[in-house]
Amino acid sequence: MENLLEILKEKTEKLYLGGGLDKIQKHKEKGKLTAWERIKYLLDPNSPYTEIGAFAGENMYPNDGGCPNGGVVIVMGYVQKRLCIIVSNDATVKAGAWFPITGKKNLRAQEIAMENHLPIIYLVDSAGVYLPMQDEIFPDKEHFGRIFRNNAKISAMGIPQISAIMGSCVAGGAYLPIMSDYALIVEGTGSVFLAGSYLVRSSIGEVIDNESLGGATTHSEISGVTDNKYPNDESCLDAIKNIVDKFGDTPKAGFSRIESQLPLLPTDAVYKNLPEDRLKPYNMLQLLDSIVDKDSLEEYKKDYGKTIICALARIDGWAVGIVANQREVVKAKKPGGTQEMQMGGVIYSDSADKSARFIMNCNQQKVPLVFFQDVTGFMVGSRSEQGGIIKDGAKMVNAMANSVVPKFTFVIGNSYGAGNYAMCGKAYDPRLIYAWPTAQMAVMSGASAGKTLLQIQEATLKGKGVQLSENEKNKLLSEIEQKYNEQLSPYYAAARLWVDGVIDPKETRKIISMGIEAANHNPDIPKYNVGVIQT
C-alpha cells in the first residue's frame, strides 16, 4: 500500500503542472493565475475540498500531445461557507481547448451540480473545441452542445451559475459564460466573441483587433454582454466571493446527522488490514471499523447472505446504509442442516436477496447508500443457476438502480463483470464514485480474460491452419495478460471518468461526508418504486 500511495502522490503532484513548467511560465507572464491558483484563491482557507475527475485524460491522445487532467480542474468545495462546484479551465494545456474527455469532464461537473442543487462557478480560459478532433466533441448528444443545454436547464432549476471570463472564450464556448446568471470579465486577458478577428476578416472583410471586438471594455460598456470588468484575476475572484456571500439558504432533504465520532480504528489501519495479494481473504468489517463512526454500525441479517455485509452506520455523523462485499470465506447454512462454503467477494443468491431487501429499507427510510466494491461477480455453475441466481441478481440490480436516495461507491479491490453493476458501478448513477489505488476494474480478472482470449486466438489461427507451440502459447498469453492488466488499473478507469478519481483510503470519510452534505441540498426525492421484482 505504501508503494501504491507513493505512486498516487507522484501522479497527483504532476497534475498541478498542467501543460508543463514552460507553459505555466508563459501563462503567468500574461498576469494570469493558474487554474489551481484560481481555485485555491476562491476556496475558504483551510476548508476541505474534493477533486472531481482527477487523472481524466491520462495517457490518452498521445499523437496530439496529450490532455493532462482533461485540460480542466474541477473541485467541490466551500466558497464563503457555501458548498459549490468550481470548474477551472487550464489554459496551459492546448490553450484550454476542449478534447473529448474535456467535454465529458465538464458534463460531469454540471451533472453533480444538478443532482445536488449546488451553485456552479466557471473560471473560463479556453480556446474552444480542439479542431483536429471536432468530430468527437462537437455534434453528439453528450458533446460540446450539451454544456449550453445544461446551462439553460440549470438556470431553470434555480441553481446559481457564475462565470468569470479570465482568458479566451471563443465561438460556441462564448455561450457558456453568457448563459450564466453572472458574467464577469478580466481586463486585458479576458475576451469573448463568436468569431475572432482573423475569422471576421476572412468572413466579412472587417479589420478589427480582438480587444475591440470582444474585450472587457466592449462587453462591459457597449454591448452589456458582461456584468462588470476587473483589473486582474484576484479582483474578479473577490467579486465572485461577494456574490456567493449573498445567496439565500435553500430547503434541505433532511438526511439524519448527529455529532461526529472518530472511527474505532485509525484510518491508516486500512493499510495493514487490506492484503497486498488481491486473492487473499480479509474481513471487510475491519476496514469499515476505520471508516464508520465508533459504535454506530448495526448489521442487517448478519448470519444470512454473508458474502455481502449490509449495515446501518454513521460516517462523520451522517446516517448511511452500507452494502459491502465480504472477502472472507464463509459458511452458509442450507435446508436439512447442511452447510455450503461460500467464496468471499462472490455474490450468491442469499446475499443478493438480502441486499435487495436492505436497499429497499434504506429508500423507505431516507438513508443514503454507500457501496464498497471488492467483487468478482455472481456465483456460476449448475447449482447456482438452478437456484435462480439470475433472478436474485436481477432483484438486487432492480432495487439498487431505482434507488431514490443518494448513492456513493468506492472500488477498493476487484470490480468485475455484473458484480460492478449490482454494487452500483458508474452506469447506476452514484452521486460520487472513487477508486482506491488497490482497485481493479474489468469484465473479468486478468488471468481469466487472458486464458479466454488465448483460446479465441488459438481457434482463429487453427482455422487458418496454424498450430501454436507451447512456447508460442505462453508468449501470446503473456502479451494478452500484460495489455489486459494495464486496462485493469484504477488510473485507466479514472482517465476515462469511469470513476471520479483515485484516492488515498483515508480520504473516504471526507468524500462521503461532503457528498451527503451536497446531496442534502436537493430536497426533491421522488417516491421509491422498484417496478416488477423477480421472485
Side-chain angles (χ1 to χ4, degrees):
M1 179 65 84
E2 288 178 358
N3 291 337
L4 292 174
L5 292 176
E6 187 60 34
I7 292 170
L8 173 61
K9 182 182 176 182
E10 290 173 2
K11 285 179 172 288
T12 302
E13 288 174 350
K14 191 175 179 182
L15 293 183
Y16 288 94
L17 297 178
L21 291 173
D22 290 346
K23 296 288 179 62
I24 289 175
Q25 182 63 32
K26 291 177 182 177
H27 182 87
K28 294 179 81 67
E29 284 171 0
K30 299 174 183 176
K32 301 200 293 186
L33 299 176
T34 66
W36 271 109
E37 285 173 341
R38 289 166 177 167
I39 286 175
K40 294 291 181 70
Y41 191 94
L42 260 188
L43 291 174
D44 294 344
N46 303 315
S47 65
Y49 67 87
T50 295
E51 187 176 359
I52 309 293
F55 307 111
E58 182 174 87
N59 296 327
M60 296 172 68
Y61 319 117
N63 295 333
D64 295 270
C67 185
N69 213 14
V72 60
V73 183
I74 297 171
V75 304
M76 179 169 65
Y78 298 89
V79 178
Q80 299 298 94
K81 300 182 180 179
R82 182 69 176 256
L83 199 55
C84 299
I85 298 293
I86 305 172
V87 180
S88 184
N89 294 122
D90 189 346
T92 70
V93 179
K94 297 287 185 182
W98 287 47
F99 282 69
I101 196 66
T102 315
K104 189 173 183 179
K105 187 169 177 178
N106 276 270
L107 287 169
R108 178 67 176 138
Q110 290 184 320
E111 179 183 40
I112 292 170
M114 294 167 82
E115 285 179 332
N116 300 292
H117 289 194
L118 295 182
I120 184 165
I121 300 167
Y122 308 100
L123 307 179
V124 187
D125 193 346
S126 170
V129 165
Y130 181 61
L131 289 177
M133 303 185 77
Q134 63 86 26
D135 62 318
E136 297 180 50
I137 180 61
F138 166 66
D140 209 347
K141 181 179 178 180
E142 300 297 335
H143 283 178
F144 197 52
R146 189 78 171 182
I147 297 291
F148 319 129
R149 175 264 190 193
N150 285 354
N151 286 140
K153 291 288 186 180
I154 291 170
S155 181
M157 293 170 70
I159 299 169
Q161 297 178 90
I162 304 173
S163 284
I165 301 163
M166 313 183 90
S168 298
C169 195
V170 185
Y175 285 106
L176 185 149
I178 309 311
M179 292 186 74
S180 299
D181 303 317
Y182 297 89
L184 319 179
I185 189 167
V186 178
E187 293 180 282
T189 55
S191 60
V192 54
F193 34 66
L194 293 182
S197 57
Y198 294 124
L199 184 55
V200 166
R201 184 172 185 176
S202 64
S203 298
I204 63 173
E206 181 182 3
V207 179
I208 190 171
D209 63 89
N210 281 338
E211 183 62 28
S212 302
L213 184 66
T217 299
T218 295
H219 285 312
S220 296
E221 299 182 19
I222 302 173
S223 72
V225 166
T226 54
D227 303 338
N228 288 305
K229 59 183 179 179
Y230 301 89
N232 51 43
D233 283 8
E234 289 88 349
S235 57
C236 186
L237 296 170
D238 284 335
I240 292 175
K241 293 180 185 180
N242 274 332
I243 292 169
V244 174
D245 183 56
K246 311 303 185 294
F247 290 163
D249 202 3
T250 56
K252 300 293 188 290
F255 300 123
S256 172
R257 192 181 197 186
I258 62 173
E259 186 177 346
S260 175
Q261 300 288 332
L262 290 174
L264 176 66
L265 300 178
T267 53
D268 58 5
V270 168
Y271 307 157
K272 292 179 288 185
N273 291 328
L274 186 65
E276 181 181 358
D277 185 346
R278 302 306 305 120
L279 296 176
K280 282 188 176 180
Y282 65 89
N283 189 342
M284 176 64 78
L285 287 168
Q286 288 184 329
L287 298 192
L288 295 179
D289 281 339
S290 298
I291 296 169
V292 306
D293 293 7
K294 183 180 178 182
D295 298 330
S296 70
L297 191 135
E298 182 65 32
E299 262 197 89
Y300 175 77
K301 294 182 184 283
K302 68 177 182 179
D303 295 321
Y304 176 74
K306 292 188 282 188
T307 63
I308 290 184
I309 295 167
C310 295
L312 295 171
R314 289 192 182 272
I315 295 177
D316 197 26
W318 292 103
V320 297
I322 291 173
V323 181
N325 300 110
Q326 174 60 284
R327 280 296 306 273
E328 284 190 327
V329 177
V330 300
K331 292 180 181 178
K333 290 185 178 179
K334 295 297 176 182
T338 60
Q339 286 190 338
E340 177 187 51
M341 298 299 291
Q342 294 185 343
M343 293 180 286
V346 177
I347 302 175
Y348 291 76
S349 284
D350 52 1
S351 50
D353 181 62
K354 175 176 83 170
S355 300
R357 174 69 180 267
F358 178 73
I359 290 166
M360 288 189 275
N361 276 357
C362 289
N363 274 273
Q364 293 279 31
Q365 293 134 28
K366 208 158 74 172
V367 180
L369 287 160
V370 182
F371 294 81
F372 291 98
Q373 289 193 9
D374 193 348
V375 57
T376 51
F378 286 86
M379 190 57 191
V380 296
S382 60
R383 184 172 179 176
S384 291
E385 298 291 1
Q386 291 168 13
I389 184 64
I390 294 177
K391 66 179 176 65
D392 289 320
K395 186 191 306 180
M396 180 180 176
V397 170
N398 192 326
M400 181 273 302
N402 283 301
S403 177
V404 294
V405 295
K407 305 188 293 282
F408 304 88
T409 301
F410 295 86
V411 185
I412 68 176
N414 303 324
S415 181
Y416 296 152
N420 170 280
Y421 301 160
M423 294 294 294
C424 195
K426 182 65 182 289
Y428 292 84
D429 301 317
R431 295 289 178 98
L432 295 171
I433 175 170
Y434 284 88
W436 289 5
T438 45
Q440 293 186 336
M441 194 180 306
V443 72
M444 63 180 73
S445 71
S448 299
K451 291 172 185 174
T452 305
L453 291 168
L454 177 62
Q455 290 172 1
I456 293 170
Q457 291 205 26
E458 266 193 285
T460 302
L461 291 170
K462 191 174 181 180
K464 297 177 181 178
V466 179
Q467 290 281 0
L468 294 176
S469 68
E470 283 302 313
N471 284 341
E472 289 172 328
K473 285 183 188 179
N474 290 334
K475 183 181 178 183
L476 184 56
L477 179 61
S478 177
E479 291 172 355
I480 291 170
E481 287 186 347
Q482 183 179 349
K483 182 179 179 181
Y484 196 87
N485 285 333
E486 288 174 3
Q487 296 176 0
L488 284 171
S489 164
Y491 298 102
Y492 189 91
R496 289 151 183 81
L497 289 174
W498 302 345
V499 294
D500 290 319
V502 183
I503 60 165
D504 186 322
K506 69 182 181 183
E507 298 288 302
T508 304
R509 263 175 69 89
K510 179 197 74 175
I511 289 172
I512 294 170
S513 180
M514 290 186 70
I516 299 176
E517 182 182 348
N520 201 38
H521 283 82
N522 182 357
D524 301 328
I525 302 177
K527 187 176 183 293
Y528 185 52
N529 182 10
V530 293
V532 178
I533 281 282
Q534 292 285 338
T535 58

